[in-house]
Coordinates of all heavy atoms in Angstrom, one line a residue:
M1 N -127.0 17.1 -36.6 CA -127.8 18.2 -36.0 C -128.4 19.1 -37.0 O -127.8 19.5 -38.0 CB -126.9 19.0 -35.0 CG -127.6 20.2 -34.4 SD -126.6 20.9 -33.1 CE -127.7 20.7 -31.8
P2 N -129.7 19.3 -36.9 CA -130.4 20.1 -37.9 C -129.9 21.5 -38.0 O -129.5 22.1 -37.0 CB -131.9 20.0 -37.5 CG -132.0 19.3 -36.3 CD -130.6 18.9 -35.9
K3 N -130.0 22.1 -39.2 CA -129.7 23.5 -39.3 C -130.7 24.3 -38.6 O -131.8 23.9 -38.3 CB -129.6 23.9 -40.8 CG -128.5 23.2 -41.5 CD -128.6 23.7 -43.0 CE -127.5 23.0 -43.8 NZ -127.6 23.3 -45.2
R4 N -130.3 25.6 -38.2 CA -131.2 26.4 -37.4 C -132.5 26.7 -38.1 O -133.5 26.8 -37.4 CB -130.4 27.7 -37.1 CG -131.2 28.6 -36.2 CD -130.4 29.9 -36.0 NE -131.2 30.8 -35.1 CZ -130.8 31.8 -34.5 NH1 -129.5 32.0 -34.5 NH2 -131.6 32.5 -33.8
D5 N -132.5 26.8 -39.4 CA -133.7 27.1 -40.2 C -134.6 25.8 -40.4 O -135.8 26.0 -40.7 CB -133.3 27.7 -41.5 CG -134.6 28.2 -42.3 OD1 -135.4 28.9 -41.7 OD2 -134.6 27.8 -43.5
Q6 N -134.0 24.7 -40.2 CA -134.8 23.4 -40.5 C -135.8 23.2 -39.3 O -135.5 23.5 -38.2 CB -133.9 22.2 -40.6 CG -133.1 22.2 -41.8 CD -132.3 20.9 -41.9 OE1 -131.7 20.5 -40.9 NE2 -132.2 20.4 -43.1
L7 N -137.0 22.6 -39.7 CA -137.9 22.2 -38.7 C -137.5 20.9 -38.0 O -136.8 20.1 -38.7 CB -139.3 22.0 -39.4 CG -139.9 23.3 -39.9 CD1 -141.1 22.9 -40.7 CD2 -140.2 24.3 -38.9
R8 N -138.0 20.6 -36.9 CA -137.8 19.3 -36.2 C -138.4 18.2 -37.0 O -137.8 17.2 -37.1 CB -138.4 19.4 -34.8 CG -138.2 18.2 -34.0 CD -138.9 18.1 -32.7 NE -139.1 19.5 -32.1 CZ -139.7 19.6 -30.9 NH1 -140.0 18.6 -30.1 NH2 -139.9 20.9 -30.4
D9 N -139.6 18.5 -37.6 CA -140.2 17.5 -38.5 C -140.7 18.2 -39.7 O -140.9 19.4 -39.8 CB -141.6 17.0 -37.8 CG -141.3 16.4 -36.4 OD1 -140.6 15.4 -36.3 OD2 -141.9 16.9 -35.4
A10 N -140.7 17.4 -40.8 CA -141.2 17.9 -42.1 C -142.6 17.6 -42.2 O -143.1 16.6 -41.7 CB -140.5 17.3 -43.2
Y11 N -143.4 18.6 -42.7 CA -144.9 18.4 -42.7 C -145.4 18.6 -44.1 O -145.0 19.5 -44.9 CB -145.6 19.5 -41.9 CG -145.3 19.4 -40.4 CD1 -144.2 20.0 -39.8 CD2 -146.2 18.6 -39.6 CE1 -144.0 19.9 -38.5 CE2 -145.9 18.5 -38.3 CZ -144.8 19.1 -37.7 OH -144.6 19.0 -36.4
N12 N -146.3 17.7 -44.5 CA -147.1 17.8 -45.8 C -148.3 18.7 -45.4 O -149.0 18.5 -44.5 CB -147.5 16.5 -46.3 CG -146.4 15.6 -46.8 OD1 -145.5 16.1 -47.4 ND2 -146.4 14.3 -46.5
V13 N -148.4 19.8 -46.2 CA -149.5 20.7 -46.0 C -150.6 20.6 -47.0 O -150.3 20.6 -48.2 CB -148.9 22.2 -46.0 CG1 -150.0 23.2 -45.8 CG2 -147.8 22.3 -44.9
F14 N -151.8 20.5 -46.5 CA -153.0 20.3 -47.3 C -153.8 21.5 -47.2 O -154.0 22.1 -46.0 CB -153.8 19.1 -46.9 CG -153.0 17.8 -47.1 CD1 -152.1 17.3 -46.2 CD2 -153.2 17.1 -48.3 CE1 -151.4 16.2 -46.3 CE2 -152.4 15.9 -48.4 CZ -151.5 15.5 -47.5
L15 N -154.5 21.9 -48.2 CA -155.4 23.1 -48.2 C -156.8 22.6 -48.4 O -157.1 21.8 -49.2 CB -155.0 24.1 -49.3 CG -153.6 24.6 -49.3 CD1 -153.4 25.5 -50.6 CD2 -153.2 25.3 -48.1
R16 N -157.7 23.2 -47.6 CA -159.1 22.9 -47.7 C -159.7 23.7 -49.0 O -159.6 24.9 -49.0 CB -159.9 23.4 -46.4 CG -161.3 23.2 -46.4 CD -161.7 21.8 -46.1 NE -163.1 21.8 -45.8 CZ -163.9 20.7 -46.0 NH1 -163.3 19.5 -46.3 NH2 -165.1 20.7 -45.7
K17 N -160.3 22.9 -49.9 CA -160.9 23.5 -51.1 C -162.1 24.3 -50.6 O -162.8 23.9 -49.8 CB -161.3 22.4 -52.0 CG -160.1 21.6 -52.6 CD -160.6 20.5 -53.5 CE -159.5 19.7 -54.1 NZ -159.9 18.6 -55.0
H18 N -162.2 25.4 -51.3 CA -163.4 26.3 -51.1 C -163.5 27.0 -49.7 O -164.5 27.5 -49.3 CB -164.7 25.6 -51.4 CG -164.7 24.8 -52.6 ND1 -164.6 25.5 -53.9 CD2 -164.8 23.5 -52.9 CE1 -164.6 24.6 -54.8 NE2 -164.7 23.4 -54.3
K19 N -162.4 26.8 -48.9 CA -162.2 27.5 -47.6 C -160.8 28.1 -47.5 O -159.9 27.5 -46.9 CB -162.4 26.5 -46.5 CG -163.7 25.7 -46.4 CD -164.8 26.5 -45.8 CE -166.1 25.7 -45.7 NZ -167.1 26.3 -45.0
P20 N -160.6 29.2 -48.1 CA -159.3 29.8 -48.1 C -158.7 30.0 -46.7 O -159.3 30.4 -45.8 CB -159.6 31.2 -48.8 CG -160.8 31.1 -49.5 CD -161.7 30.0 -48.8
G21 N -157.5 29.5 -46.6 CA -156.7 29.7 -45.4 C -156.8 28.5 -44.4 O -156.0 28.4 -43.5
V22 N -157.8 27.6 -44.6 CA -157.9 26.4 -43.7 C -156.9 25.4 -44.2 O -156.9 25.0 -45.4 CB -159.3 25.8 -43.7 CG1 -159.4 24.6 -42.8 CG2 -160.2 26.9 -43.1
C23 N -156.0 25.0 -43.3 CA -154.9 24.1 -43.7 C -154.8 22.9 -42.7 O -155.2 23.1 -41.5 CB -153.6 24.9 -43.7 SG -153.5 26.3 -44.7
C24 N -154.2 21.9 -43.1 CA -153.9 20.8 -42.3 C -152.5 20.3 -42.6 O -152.1 20.1 -43.8 CB -154.9 19.6 -42.5 SG -154.6 18.2 -41.4
A25 N -151.7 20.1 -41.6 CA -150.3 19.6 -41.7 C -150.2 18.3 -41.1 O -150.7 18.0 -40.0 CB -149.3 20.6 -41.1
V26 N -149.5 17.4 -41.8 CA -149.3 16.0 -41.4 C -147.8 15.7 -41.5 O -147.2 16.0 -42.6 CB -150.1 15.0 -42.3 CG1 -149.9 13.6 -41.9 CG2 -151.6 15.3 -42.3
R27 N -147.2 15.2 -40.5 CA -145.8 14.9 -40.6 C -145.6 14.0 -41.8 O -146.4 13.1 -42.1 CB -145.3 14.2 -39.3 CG -144.9 15.2 -38.3 CD -143.9 14.6 -37.2 NE -144.4 13.4 -36.6 CZ -144.8 13.3 -35.4 NH1 -144.7 14.3 -34.6 NH2 -145.1 12.2 -34.9
E28 N -144.5 14.3 -42.4 CA -144.1 13.5 -43.6 C -144.0 12.0 -43.4 O -144.3 11.2 -44.3 CB -142.8 14.1 -44.1 CG -142.4 13.6 -45.5 CD -141.2 14.3 -46.0 OE1 -140.2 14.5 -45.2 OE2 -141.2 14.7 -47.2
D29 N -143.7 11.6 -42.2 CA -143.5 10.2 -41.9 C -144.8 9.5 -41.3 O -144.8 8.4 -40.8 CB -142.3 9.9 -41.0 CG -142.6 10.6 -39.6 OD1 -143.5 11.4 -39.4 OD2 -141.7 10.4 -38.7
T30 N -145.9 10.2 -41.5 CA -147.1 9.7 -40.9 C -148.2 9.6 -42.0 O -148.3 10.3 -43.0 CB -147.7 10.8 -39.9 OG1 -146.8 11.1 -38.9 CG2 -149.0 10.4 -39.3
P31 N -149.0 8.5 -41.9 CA -150.1 8.3 -42.9 C -151.1 9.5 -42.9 O -151.3 10.1 -41.9 CB -150.8 7.1 -42.5 CG -149.8 6.3 -41.6 CD -149.0 7.4 -40.9
V32 N -151.6 9.8 -44.1 CA -152.5 10.9 -44.3 C -153.8 10.4 -43.7 O -154.3 9.4 -44.1 CB -152.6 11.3 -45.7 CG1 -153.7 12.3 -45.9 CG2 -151.3 11.8 -46.3
P33 N -154.4 11.2 -42.8 CA -155.7 10.8 -42.2 C -156.8 10.8 -43.3 O -156.8 11.5 -44.2 CB -156.1 12.0 -41.2 CG -154.7 12.6 -40.9 CD -153.9 12.4 -42.2
A34 N -157.8 9.9 -43.1 CA -158.9 9.7 -44.0 C -159.7 10.8 -44.3 O -160.2 11.0 -45.4 CB -159.8 8.5 -43.5
F35 N -159.8 11.8 -43.3 CA -160.7 13.0 -43.6 C -160.1 13.9 -44.6 O -160.8 14.8 -45.1 CB -161.0 13.7 -42.3 CG -159.9 14.5 -41.7 CD1 -159.7 15.8 -42.1 CD2 -159.1 14.0 -40.7 CE1 -158.7 16.6 -41.6 CE2 -158.1 14.7 -40.2 CZ -157.8 16.0 -40.6
L36 N -158.8 13.8 -44.9 CA -158.2 14.6 -46.0 C -158.5 14.1 -47.4 O -157.6 13.7 -48.1 CB -156.7 14.7 -45.7 CG -156.3 15.5 -44.4 CD1 -154.8 15.4 -44.2 CD2 -156.8 16.9 -44.5
S37 N -159.7 13.9 -47.7 CA -160.2 13.4 -49.0 C -159.8 14.3 -50.1 O -159.9 15.5 -50.0 CB -161.6 13.0 -49.0 OG -162.4 14.2 -48.9
P38 N -159.5 13.8 -51.3 CA -159.2 14.7 -52.5 C -160.4 15.5 -52.9 O -160.2 16.5 -53.6 CB -158.9 13.7 -53.5 CG -158.8 12.3 -52.9 CD -159.3 12.4 -51.6
E39 N -161.6 15.1 -52.5 CA -162.8 15.9 -52.8 C -162.8 17.2 -52.1 O -163.3 18.2 -52.6 CB -164.1 15.1 -52.6 CG -164.3 13.9 -53.3 CD -163.6 12.7 -52.8 OE1 -163.3 12.6 -51.6 OE2 -163.2 11.8 -53.6
N40 N -162.2 17.2 -50.9 CA -162.3 18.4 -50.1 C -160.9 19.1 -49.7 O -160.9 20.2 -49.3 CB -163.0 18.1 -48.7 CG -164.4 17.7 -48.9 OD1 -165.2 18.4 -49.6 ND2 -164.8 16.6 -48.4
W41 N -159.9 18.4 -49.9 CA -158.5 18.9 -49.6 C -157.6 18.7 -50.8 O -157.7 17.7 -51.6 CB -158.0 18.1 -48.4 CG -158.8 18.3 -47.1 CD1 -159.9 17.7 -46.7 CD2 -158.5 19.3 -46.2 NE1 -160.3 18.2 -45.5 CE2 -159.4 19.2 -45.1 CE3 -157.5 20.3 -45.9 CZ2 -159.5 19.9 -44.0 CZ3 -157.5 21.0 -44.8 CH2 -158.5 20.9 -43.8
S42 N -156.6 19.5 -50.9 CA -155.6 19.3 -51.9 C -154.2 19.5 -51.3 O -154.0 20.3 -50.4 CB -155.8 20.3 -53.1 OG -155.6 21.6 -52.6
Y43 N -153.3 18.6 -51.7 CA -151.9 18.7 -51.2 C -151.3 20.0 -51.8 O -151.5 20.3 -53.0 CB -151.1 17.4 -51.7 CG -149.6 17.6 -51.5 CD1 -149.1 17.4 -50.3 CD2 -148.8 18.0 -52.6 CE1 -147.7 17.6 -50.1 CE2 -147.5 18.2 -52.4 CZ -146.9 18.0 -51.2 OH -145.6 18.2 -51.0
S44 N -150.6 20.7 -51.0 CA -150.0 21.9 -51.4 C -148.5 21.8 -51.5 O -147.9 22.1 -52.6 CB -150.4 23.1 -50.5 OG -149.9 24.3 -50.9
Y45 N -147.8 21.4 -50.5 CA -146.3 21.3 -50.5 C -145.9 20.7 -49.2 O -146.6 20.4 -48.3 CB -145.7 22.7 -50.6 CG -146.1 23.6 -49.5 CD1 -145.2 23.8 -48.3 CD2 -147.2 24.3 -49.4 CE1 -145.5 24.5 -47.3 CE2 -147.6 25.1 -48.4 CZ -146.7 25.3 -47.3 OH -147.0 26.0 -46.2
T46 N -144.6 20.4 -49.1 CA -143.9 19.9 -47.9 C -143.1 21.0 -47.3 O -142.2 21.5 -48.0 CB -143.1 18.7 -48.2 OG1 -144.0 17.6 -48.8 CG2 -142.4 18.1 -47.0
A47 N -143.3 21.3 -46.1 CA -142.6 22.3 -45.3 C -141.4 21.6 -44.6 O -141.7 20.7 -43.7 CB -143.4 23.0 -44.3
R48 N -140.2 22.0 -44.9 CA -139.0 21.4 -44.3 C -138.2 22.4 -43.5 O -137.3 22.0 -42.7 CB -138.1 20.7 -45.3 CG -138.8 19.5 -45.9 CD -137.7 18.7 -46.7 NE -138.3 17.4 -47.1 CZ -139.1 17.2 -48.1 NH1 -139.4 18.2 -48.9 NH2 -139.6 16.1 -48.4
S49 N -138.5 23.7 -43.7 CA -137.7 24.7 -43.0 C -138.7 25.8 -42.6 O -139.8 25.9 -43.1 CB -136.6 25.3 -43.9 OG -137.2 26.1 -45.0
R50 N -138.2 26.7 -41.7 CA -139.1 27.8 -41.3 C -139.5 28.7 -42.4 O -140.6 29.3 -42.4 CB -138.4 28.6 -40.2 CG -138.2 27.7 -38.9 CD -137.7 28.5 -37.7 NE -137.5 27.7 -36.6 CZ -138.5 27.2 -35.7 NH1 -139.7 27.7 -35.9 NH2 -138.2 26.5 -34.7
A51 N -138.7 28.8 -43.4 CA -138.9 29.7 -44.6 C -140.1 29.1 -45.4 O -140.8 29.9 -46.1 CB -137.7 29.8 -45.4
D52 N -140.4 27.8 -45.3 CA -141.5 27.2 -46.0 C -142.9 27.4 -45.3 O -143.9 27.1 -45.9 CB -141.3 25.7 -46.1 CG -140.1 25.3 -46.9 OD1 -139.6 26.1 -47.7 OD2 -139.6 24.2 -46.6
L53 N -142.8 27.8 -44.1 CA -144.1 27.9 -43.3 C -145.0 29.1 -43.6 O -144.6 30.2 -43.8 CB -143.8 28.0 -41.8 CG -143.0 26.8 -41.2 CD1 -142.6 27.0 -39.7 CD2 -143.7 25.5 -41.4
P54 N -146.3 28.8 -43.7 CA -147.2 29.9 -43.9 C -147.4 30.7 -42.6 O -147.2 30.2 -41.5 CB -148.5 29.2 -44.3 CG -148.4 27.8 -43.7 CD -147.0 27.5 -43.7
V55 N -147.9 31.9 -42.7 CA -148.3 32.7 -41.6 C -149.4 32.0 -40.8 O -150.3 31.5 -41.4 CB -148.8 34.1 -42.0 CG1 -149.2 34.9 -40.8 CG2 -147.7 34.8 -42.9
G56 N -149.2 31.8 -39.6 CA -150.2 31.1 -38.7 C -149.8 29.7 -38.3 O -150.3 29.1 -37.4
F57 N -148.7 29.1 -38.9 CA -148.2 27.9 -38.6 C -147.4 28.0 -37.3 O -146.4 28.8 -37.4 CB -147.4 27.3 -39.8 CG -147.0 25.8 -39.5 CD1 -147.7 24.8 -40.1 CD2 -145.9 25.5 -38.7 CE1 -147.3 23.5 -39.9 CE2 -145.6 24.2 -38.6 CZ -146.2 23.2 -39.2
Q58 N -147.6 27.3 -36.3 CA -146.8 27.3 -35.1 C -146.1 26.0 -34.9 O -146.8 25.0 -34.6 CB -147.7 27.6 -33.8 CG -148.5 28.9 -34.0 CD -147.6 30.1 -33.9 OE1 -146.7 30.1 -33.1 NE2 -147.9 31.0 -34.8
P59 N -144.8 25.9 -35.1 CA -144.1 24.7 -35.1 C -144.2 23.9 -33.8 O -144.4 22.7 -33.8 CB -142.6 25.1 -35.3 CG -142.7 26.4 -36.0 CD -143.9 27.1 -35.5
C60 N -144.2 24.5 -32.6 CA -144.4 23.8 -31.3 C -145.8 23.2 -31.2 O -145.9 22.0 -30.9 CB -144.1 24.7 -30.2 SG -142.3 25.2 -30.0
A61 N -146.8 24.0 -31.6 CA -148.2 23.5 -31.5 C -148.3 22.3 -32.6 O -149.0 21.4 -32.3 CB -149.2 24.6 -31.9
A62 N -147.7 22.5 -33.7 CA -147.8 21.4 -34.8 C -147.2 20.1 -34.3 O -147.8 19.0 -34.5 CB -147.1 21.9 -36.0
H63 N -146.0 20.2 -33.6 CA -145.4 19.0 -33.1 C -146.2 18.3 -32.0 O -146.5 17.1 -32.1 CB -144.0 19.4 -32.5 CG -143.2 18.3 -31.9 ND1 -142.6 17.4 -32.7 CD2 -143.1 17.8 -30.6 CE1 -142.0 16.5 -32.0 NE2 -142.3 16.7 -30.7
E64 N -146.8 19.1 -31.2 CA -147.7 18.6 -30.1 C -148.9 17.9 -30.7 O -149.3 16.8 -30.3 CB -148.1 19.7 -29.1 CG -148.7 19.2 -27.9 CD -147.8 18.5 -26.9 OE1 -146.6 18.7 -26.9 OE2 -148.3 17.7 -26.2
A65 N -149.6 18.6 -31.6 CA -150.8 18.1 -32.2 C -150.5 16.8 -33.0 O -151.3 15.9 -32.9 CB -151.5 19.2 -33.1
A66 N -149.4 16.9 -33.8 CA -149.1 15.7 -34.6 C -148.8 14.5 -33.7 O -149.2 13.4 -34.1 CB -147.9 16.0 -35.5
N67 N -148.2 14.7 -32.5 CA -148.0 13.6 -31.6 C -149.2 13.0 -31.0 O -149.4 11.8 -30.9 CB -147.0 14.0 -30.5 CG -145.6 14.1 -30.9 OD1 -145.2 13.5 -31.9 ND2 -144.8 14.8 -30.1
R68 N -150.2 13.9 -30.7 CA -151.5 13.5 -30.1 C -152.5 13.0 -31.1 O -153.2 12.0 -30.9 CB -152.0 14.6 -29.3 CG -151.2 14.9 -28.0 CD -151.7 16.0 -27.2 NE -150.8 16.4 -26.2 CZ -151.2 16.7 -25.0 NH1 -152.5 16.7 -24.7 NH2 -150.4 17.0 -24.1
L69 N -152.6 13.8 -32.2 CA -153.8 13.5 -33.1 C -153.3 12.9 -34.5 O -154.1 12.4 -35.2 CB -154.5 14.8 -33.4 CG -155.0 15.6 -32.2 CD1 -155.5 16.9 -32.6 CD2 -156.1 14.7 -31.5
G70 N -152.1 13.2 -34.8 CA -151.6 12.7 -36.2 C -151.7 13.8 -37.2 O -151.3 13.5 -38.3
F71 N -152.1 15.0 -36.8 CA -152.3 16.1 -37.8 C -152.3 17.4 -37.0 O -152.6 17.4 -35.8 CB -153.5 16.0 -38.7 CG -154.9 15.9 -37.9 CD1 -155.5 17.0 -37.6 CD2 -155.3 14.6 -37.4 CE1 -156.7 17.0 -36.9 CE2 -156.5 14.6 -36.7 CZ -157.2 15.8 -36.4
Y72 N -152.2 18.5 -37.7 CA -152.3 19.8 -37.1 C -153.2 20.7 -38.0 O -152.8 20.9 -39.2 CB -150.9 20.4 -37.0 CG -150.8 21.8 -36.6 CD1 -151.3 22.4 -35.4 CD2 -150.1 22.7 -37.4 CE1 -151.2 23.7 -35.1 CE2 -149.9 24.0 -37.1 CZ -150.5 24.5 -35.9 OH -150.4 25.8 -35.6
L73 N -154.3 21.2 -37.5 CA -155.1 22.1 -38.2 C -154.7 23.5 -37.8 O -154.5 23.8 -36.7 CB -156.6 21.8 -37.9 CG -157.2 20.6 -38.4 CD1 -158.6 20.4 -37.8 CD2 -157.3 20.5 -39.9
F74 N -154.7 24.4 -38.8 CA -154.4 25.8 -38.6 C -155.0 26.7 -39.7 O -155.4 26.2 -40.7 CB -152.9 26.0 -38.5 CG -152.1 25.7 -39.7 CD1 -151.7 26.8 -40.5 CD2 -151.7 24.5 -40.2 CE1 -151.0 26.6 -41.7 CE2 -151.0 24.3 -41.3 CZ -150.7 25.4 -42.1
Q75 N -155.0 27.9 -39.4 CA -155.4 29.0 -40.3 C -154.3 29.7 -40.9 O -153.5 30.3 -40.1 CB -156.4 29.9 -39.6 CG -157.0 31.0 -40.4 CD -158.2 30.6 -41.3 OE1 -158.9 29.7 -40.9 NE2 -158.4 31.1 -42.4
D76 N -154.1 29.7 -42.2 CA -153.1 30.5 -42.8 C -153.6 31.9 -42.9 O -154.4 32.2 -43.8 CB -152.7 30.0 -44.2 CG -151.7 30.8 -44.9 OD1 -151.2 31.8 -44.4 OD2 -151.3 30.3 -46.0
I77 N -153.2 32.8 -42.0 CA -153.7 34.1 -42.0 C -153.2 35.1 -43.1 O -153.7 36.2 -43.3 CB -153.6 34.8 -40.6 CG1 -152.0 34.9 -40.2 CG2 -154.3 34.1 -39.6 CD1 -151.8 35.6 -38.9
G78 N -152.3 34.5 -43.9 CA -151.8 35.2 -45.0 C -152.5 34.9 -46.3 O -152.3 35.5 -47.4
A79 N -153.4 34.0 -46.3 CA -154.2 33.6 -47.5 C -155.3 34.5 -47.8 O -155.8 35.2 -47.0 CB -154.8 32.2 -47.2

């Protein structure tokens, strides 16, 4: 059973270059979508616990979006 602080899924978080705060999270066990090209996006880190999450990341919305789309776009309002 996961610890209380752990997320249901681990997410690789990518940052949009030249657009501060625009982020995309992809479940660690999912292929990275083609639109996350290195020219426009950079890998930032892997979020495995709630402490790793940026402001604006909603775990339930991320889970739902990742299931439907394969990724979760969000705005890091702390950026």
Side-chain angles (χ1 to χ4, degrees):
M1 177 168 238
K3 293 179 183 177
R4 184 177 177 163
D5 186 48
Q6 285 182 326
L7 297 172
R8 182 183 334 185
D9 303 300
Y11 292 91
N12 290 322
V13 178
F14 298 85
L15 305 178
R16 178 82 169 152
K17 293 179 180 177
H18 312 296
K19 300 277 185 179
V22 176
C23 306
C24 184
V26 179
R27 270 202 310 249
E28 192 174 41
D29 63 352
T30 303
V32 175
F35 75 86
L36 293 175
S37 67
E39 295 82 28
N40 296 311
W41 295 85
S42 61
Y43 169 80
S44 184
Y45 62 95
T46 300
R48 291 191 171 85
S49 72
R50 292 188 183 278
D52 297 335
L53 298 178
V55 177
F57 187 101
Q58 300 294 316
C60 291
H63 181 77
E64 190 70 27
N67 283 341
R68 291 179 187 220
L69 305 171
F71 60 90
Y72 169 59
L73 290 172
F74 66 99
Q75 181 79 28
D76 179 355
I77 57 177

